[in-house]
Amino acid sequence: AIVQPIVEKDLRVLLPQIMVRHKPKMWNMLPENIKDLVISKSLDQSKQSCKDMMEEIQTCIDELMDIKTLVTDHFANDCTLLNEIFIQCGYQELVFIRNSGATLGFLFGFLQMMIW
């Protein structure tokens, strides 16, 4: 559904160009209503083709691209994004670690002070 409007827009521009390049005499002899009909039929066929193509991509996405490597490479190249995600996802845990460290540090420090 996302690809279809882009394909339709491009097909309206590209189809006449392709026809002029490969069959210029035939294309130029066709009346405008027939040219519009050819474009309309092509658009109708493109809808099913796009749907079939997207279904095929969805079923074998793992064979087409390595998502794990893609994400790993992206995070390796953008450390600020990785840090931001880490902080946002682990904010509560980081607060707990900070508070626990302060509390335990105070208690052990106080005990150490009392022993000395």
Side-chain angles (χ1 to χ4, degrees), residues 20 42 47 66 70-71:
V20 166
S42 298
K47 290 176 185 174
D66 185 5
L70 186 71
V71 171

Side-chain angles (χ1 to χ4, degrees), residues 2-40:
I2 296 171
V3 177
Q4 188 59 36
I6 298 168
V7 170
E8 285 183 13
K9 183 182 129 209
D10 289 345
L11 192 59
R12 288 183 191 278
V13 174
L14 292 175
L15 187 64
Q17 292 175 0
I18 292 168
M19 291 301 293
V20 166
R21 184 180 309 144
H22 293 282
K23 298 286 184 184
K25 289 180 184 177
M26 183 185 76
W27 187 252
N28 290 330
M29 288 175 39
L30 289 175
E32 285 300 316
N33 62 339
I34 302 297
K35 289 179 183 180
D36 292 340
L37 183 63
V38 168
I39 292 171
S40 175

Side-chain angles (χ1 to χ4, degrees), residues 11 31 47 87 97 102 105 116:
L11 192 59
K47 290 176 185 174
I87 290 170
I97 291 169
W116 287 98

